[in-house]
């Protein structure tokens, strides 16, 4: 398989003093062979200026993949489309589902879904491709499709809700997608927020690709709001993977990031805006 370069364009923090801007969100530029993919687009559109500072021309992007329909992963899409023009955009069919977050008083008074409607984005150049099943986008690169929820300890975040039949229920976030890239040294797993559960995602990646060795995990793990039981069992699971690279960020949270850095000193890598990960 081709060499893979992963550049973090948007993240909650900035790792290099180059004038980059941080956002609460995530966007990664993936380069392998002649293909360039944008995985998520952050919240506000600063991915464009950050990419320019880092020496990347986003007009050369071949396709966009959206991990799920939260504003901090999709909000920059409209500005990107204005800059780039017509381009394929891959996502789950539930991308525009009504995602809400509980407010300070416990009410569902905060819309946290995609900030634009589908027609707005299509008029700006988005050509949507909907996938709820795994699909091989390029040789060795798999879009996960919907992640089976099989573990008993990976719980949904009770702050995330949706309306169904006029009732307020916990949001299942079925639109949560990840990317799996196969290399001779093992799988590289790229996460948006891992709302489906990190362990569920890794086990699904093994089934989909047929590859059992996991080389790297990169992206948001959503361990920040996890219960102590989920945190403990996920840590135990990660110890068994013998990773070459563990580069969590975004919704992992500073406390869990510090714990992971101490627990996996040989594999852990900070993945802030401006960071580049090279997999030869």
């Amino acid at each position: 398989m081709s060499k893979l370069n992963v550049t973090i364009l948007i993240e909650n923090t900035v790792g290099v003093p180059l004038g980059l801007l941080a956002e609460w969100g995530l966007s990664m530029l993936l380069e392998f062979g002649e293909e360039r993919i944008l995985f998520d687009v952050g919240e506000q559109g600063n991915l464009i200026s950050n990419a320019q500072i880092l020496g990347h021309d986003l007009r050369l992007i071949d396709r966009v993949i959206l991990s799920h329909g939260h504003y901090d992963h999709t909000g920059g899409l409209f500005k990107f489309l204005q800059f780039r023009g017509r381009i394929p955009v891959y996502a789950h069919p539930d991308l525009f589902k009504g995602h809400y977050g509980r407010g300070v008083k416990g009410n569902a008074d905060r819309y946290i879904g995609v900030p634009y409607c589908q027609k707005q984005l299509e008029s700006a150049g988005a050509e949507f491709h909907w996938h709820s099943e795994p699909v091989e986008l390029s040789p060795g690169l798999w879009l996960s499709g919907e992640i089976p929820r099989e573990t008993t300890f990976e719980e949904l975040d009770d702050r995330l809700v949706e309306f169904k039949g006029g009732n307020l229920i916990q949001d299942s976030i079925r639109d949560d997608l990840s990317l799996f890239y196969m290399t001779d040294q093992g799988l590289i797993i790229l996460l948006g927020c891992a709302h489906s559960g990190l362990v569920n995602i890794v086990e699904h990646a093994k089934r989909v690709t047929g590859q059992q060795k996991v080389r790297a995990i990169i992206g948001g793990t959503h361990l920040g709001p996890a219960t102590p039981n989920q945190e403990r069992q996920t840590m135990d699971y990660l110890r068994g993977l013998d990773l070459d690279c563990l580069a969590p960020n975004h919704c992992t949270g500073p406390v869990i990031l510090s714990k992971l850095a101490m627990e996996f000193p040989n594999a852990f890598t900070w993945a802030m805006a401006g960071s580049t990960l090279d997999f030869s």
Side-chain angles (χ1 to χ4, degrees):
M1 298 297 174
S2 301
K3 169 182 174 180
L4 171 66
N5 284 316
V6 180
T7 301
I8 312 299
L9 297 180
I10 291 293
E11 205 264 336
N12 311 357
T13 56
V14 172
V16 291
L18 297 174
L20 302 174
L21 294 173
E23 297 175 1
W24 176 264
L26 188 60
S27 178
M28 294 185 271
L29 170 63
L30 316 179
E31 300 174 281
F32 52 99
E34 298 299 316
E35 189 163 13
R36 295 172 179 85
I37 289 177
L38 200 56
F39 186 42
D40 286 344
V41 289
E43 177 189 357
Q44 300 173 23
N46 290 313
L47 75 162
I48 298 169
S49 59
N50 282 3
Q52 290 171 337
I53 291 170
L54 295 169
H56 298 286
D57 185 354
L58 295 189
R59 289 172 295 191
L60 302 178
I61 295 294
D62 297 297
R63 64 178 108 190
V64 176
I65 298 169
L66 300 176
S67 65
H68 63 297
H70 281 162
Y71 73 98
D72 50 336
H73 296 256
T74 62
L77 184 57
F78 190 75
K79 286 186 178 178
F80 169 74
L81 291 169
Q82 288 179 313
F83 178 78
R84 168 63 173 81
R86 190 160 297 280
I87 192 169
V89 179
Y90 293 75
H92 188 279
D94 284 352
L95 181 74
F96 292 97
K97 181 180 175 182
H99 296 296
Y100 287 82
R102 294 188 187 275
V104 292
K105 295 181 180 180
N107 298 318
D109 57 1
R110 190 163 58 97
Y111 175 70
I112 58 172
V114 184
Y116 304 95
C117 72
Q118 182 176 338
K119 288 185 177 180
Q120 279 179 296
L121 294 171
E122 288 174 337
S123 70
E127 298 174 348
F128 285 105
H129 297 256
W130 308 112
H131 293 281
S132 57
E133 298 294 328
V135 59
E136 191 171 19
L137 298 174
S138 298
L141 178 70
W142 285 85
L143 182 62
S144 67
E146 209 165 290
I147 309 292
R149 316 293 173 91
E150 297 184 341
T151 60
T152 58
F153 59 88
E154 291 182 299
E155 301 176 12
L156 292 167
D157 189 338
D158 61 9
R159 301 171 304 170
L160 306 177
V161 293
E162 62 174 307
F163 289 97
K164 190 170 185 179
N167 296 316
L168 187 63
I169 62 170
Q170 196 166 45
D171 192 348
S172 60
I173 316 180
R174 290 291 175 186
D175 51 322
D176 179 48
L177 302 179
S178 296
L179 286 172
F180 314 141
Y181 187 58
M182 302 171 68
T183 75
D184 293 338
Q185 293 79 39
L187 282 173
I188 298 172
I189 298 177
L190 298 135
L191 311 170
C193 262
H195 287 291
S196 305
L198 178 58
V199 178
N200 281 330
I201 292 169
V202 174
E203 288 301 304
H204 182 59
K206 292 178 180 180
R207 288 192 297 268
V208 166
T209 64
Q211 195 165 18
Q212 297 303 302
K213 165 65 178 172
V214 180
R215 179 180 180 186
I217 296 175
I218 305 163
T221 66
H222 212 67
L223 287 172
T227 64
N229 179 51
Q230 181 177 343
E231 177 190 329
R232 182 177 62 256
Q233 295 209 50
T234 302
M235 288 280 196
D236 290 343
Y237 179 83
L238 288 172
R239 290 186 194 100
L241 292 181
D242 190 25
L243 295 167
D244 295 331
C245 175
L246 176 61
N249 57 17
H250 183 43
C251 52
T252 304
V255 173
I256 302 299
L257 283 170
S258 298
K259 289 182 180 180
L260 291 169
M262 289 188 292
E263 185 68 34
F264 303 97
N266 296 325
F268 186 88
T269 300
W270 295 98
M272 301 172 280
S275 302
T276 300
L277 305 169
D278 182 2
F279 299 96
S280 299

